[in-house]
Amino acid sequence: MGEVGLILIFISLLQGVTSEGWSMKALPRRAISSSCVVIPCSFDFPSHSYTALHGAWFKYWYRWKYTITYTKDPNYGMATFVGRAKIIGDLEGKNCSVRIDSLRAEDSDVYYFYVDAEGYTDHTFTEPVQLQVLDVPDKPVIVLLKDLQEGTPAHIICKCLYTCPDNHPNLTWSELLTSSVSNITENGDEVSAVLTFNPSFKHHGRTLRCTCDYPQTSHRMVNSVNLSVKYSPRKTSVRMTLEKGKMISLSCSSDGNPAVHNFTWFKISQGKVTNLELAGQTITVPYGFDEEISYYCEATSILGSSQSLPIRIPTEYSPHNTSVRMTLEKGKMISLSCSSDGNPAVHNFTWFKTSRGKVTNLALAGQTITVPYGFDEEISYYCEATSILGSSQSLPIRIPTKYSAQNTSVRMTLAKEKTISLSCSSDGNPAVHNFTWFKISHGKVTDLALAGQTITVPYGFEEEISYYCEATSILGSSQSLPIRIPTEYSPRNTSIRMTLEKGKMISLSCSSDGNPAVHNFTWFKISQGKVTNLALAGQSITVPYGFDEEISYYCEATSILGSSQSLPIRIHTEYSPHNMSVRMTLEKGKMISLSCSSDGNPAVHNFTWFKISQGKVTNLALAVQTITVPYGFEEEISYYCEATSILGSSQSLPIRIPTEYSPRNTSIRMTLEKGKMISLSCSSDGNPTVHNFTWFKISQGKVTNLALAGQTITVPYGFDEEISYYCEATSILGSSQSLPIRIHTEYSPHNTSVRMTLEKGKVISLSCSSDGNPAVHNFTWFKISQGKVTNLALAGQTITVPYGFDEEISYYCEATSILGSSQSLPIRIPTEYGAVILPESRCTQYLTNLTCLCLVRANSSVHITWALPGRTVRQTGSDGIYKTVSARVGPLVTNTLTISGSNMAFQTVNCSVVNDRGDRYLQRRLEIQAVGEQAGTRSGLMWKIGLGSVGGAVLLITTTIAIYLITKTYRRTDKRKMRRI
């Protein structure tokens, strides 16, 4: 029904309610130029009889020459508002809401409302209503409700300007993992959406953008915020570096926010784990023994800890990982360096040359050699590394040949006094020897006759100017893409950053973007709805905080081109402790550190700890913020804390202390690698942690121990037979096995289906999906019309087709891979159907009026008209005697005819339905049912009026119930039809 219909229904429910005195309520509004605005308004006046009710809106106070709309004469008033302004509220229902279309900057002003009750009196309301028209809507406002921490749900609000029912902004967020957006809500002239997600390390440092699109004015406003997420250490790993004298340097690294503050090292030898009691990030250990020895480290921050995978110390082995590194030298020469890994180290390097398929031993034995380059033919080199245990060869490396200039680009750097330095770069062999510059202005290209690699040009003009360069070598030339020079603009993106200072003081800093730069900042204070200019012109100011009342500040940034204001920022008030939590950190020797945190203003000054054991709560008489307790018992023990400030206290939720348990929740994660290989990673939960992983293979019902003890292994996939793997995790308390995971086999496409999505303008998007291994590489579409199948020669996964024809049309798709193909079931496209006048349509005769209701079901645009014997009835609107109102609810279209007056000699009324092409569908003759003196014996003017009012209310209620029941019935029917499709 739209926003106007909702206003009319709401006002109709309040008819008959009176109040004493004249009063009006209207809300100020902000809107966008070229759009529209609806100013909600209601009024009241003393109960009194009158013959007609008219209303007017005008600018300024009681000046009729500034009238913008007048219900008694729609053409009366200012010429600039004729056809743009209209009172959309029902004045009889005391609704004075006004709508203004095609807004202009000069429409920003205050407006007043006037009401004329003919036969009684008229009145002008002195309450002004403010309208502000913006050339460009404000950027969205992003509000972060609290600090982000991994594991704690976060809520972020984005707010945009809501200006017009026809220009409802589309509010969207940039993609964020595992997030959800609540329904968009309206509040006054703002529309907002809440983004809810669980922060993790993946979100740290990411930029979150909120976009508001205004379809009618084509404005797109974007704002962004960089996320900072606190998370415990992760990606803990050990890097190994060879030192002198058969020593190895082990360095532990870990990612966390806040950063890791402690590293602990462990040694694994003959299945036994030893804590080395070494807490540095880097340690040095010996290598080269026959037995296998591994080391791992544990990284700890205030949020928790993380262990690395064990790294095995090398034993002695022959050379491997042999490779060649190429470095360009002067004079068309290349330095080739051979590297190889071996223990003991490589003692000899030999070089070989490959030219035209022939391999030549160069009899060169150094680790690095120098060779020429730039010939037309392809020449490659490789090396052989030798130690006392054996030798290994590198892959051949090809020497570069000659080529013309390529990858040409321009880099822009700001210089002094409104000048920009442009530098041209290009890759070529031989090198580029000449650079030429071109200027693009008003679509015209000019050769600047400048041949240097770098030039300097001015910037800041209003017109758009671009430059590009051409790089030339003896083999050819290449041009860069044009780069646009920045123009001048007034201040924008004005915002305030708030920083806490000592002694209940806050530092406010104003920032703004402009070219030329902002030269003046002015500050304003908002208290109890009053705005005060602080006469402070610095970029940063210091203000007090902690009062009971709400105080806000905003700043105005000014340059020589204009000014821009920030959004107000609210200053903190005082409150008692809340957001209580306990953070648990593992310490040495089966001890746990518990830290209590709470938010309050003024700050918390006392912490008290409590212990819960076997359902009993004990006060530990500990008043510090952090305590240390033991862990690892079999019974469940919990702790919680209480934070106290001078304004009150708050308790945290209990945190349970971990017990010791053998491995559990053992599972396998499968990842596809290159060359039909799969990486299998085993994970398990245990306390103490798992120290060994063993792998098993199941093939043809037979289980084989693979004698592999790493946490991750790599296996092939794609065979016809079914092969499964499982792992066993072992700690000092026991072991646990994972469920078998089956390795992928190859199969042709199956489960092929089509998904249908409605688009704009009577078009449907069809998307084909299918499952196969290897994946589907081709999709083909077919059309079924009048029993005939047509190949559409469309090979994309998604196509767009029209809908709404009278005939039945179906589509299906075929998915193809290298192993075969599969077809989906046909999906039928919806058709249009004609209009039907429902039997619930009726006419009712009251003592003082005649009310007729016409109910029509149709899925296309229709027009409902009324016909009376010897009378002409306007299709919509009111002329004092005849009044018609039309509305649509889903597939139902309703039209109500009301005829006022007691002397009506009608026996029948005709209701007709015509579609948007002018085709007459149907007309129905409605018999008139009498209600009043014909249905009873009482008479009298008051009884007639009361009975007529009751009859109108009963008709309104009956109509509403009928629409609801009929809509519900047809929705169930439509759902059954869609299920059959």
Side-chain angles (χ1 to χ4, degrees), residues 267 402 941:
K267 174 181 177 182
K402 292 181 177 180
L941 178 59

Side-chain angles (χ1 to χ4, degrees), residues 84 145 165 398 411 508 572 602 660 818 847:
R84 291 199 302 126
L145 297 184
R398 194 173 71 183
R411 187 178 69 251
L508 302 179
H572 300 300
E660 291 191 337
I818 58 177
L847 294 180

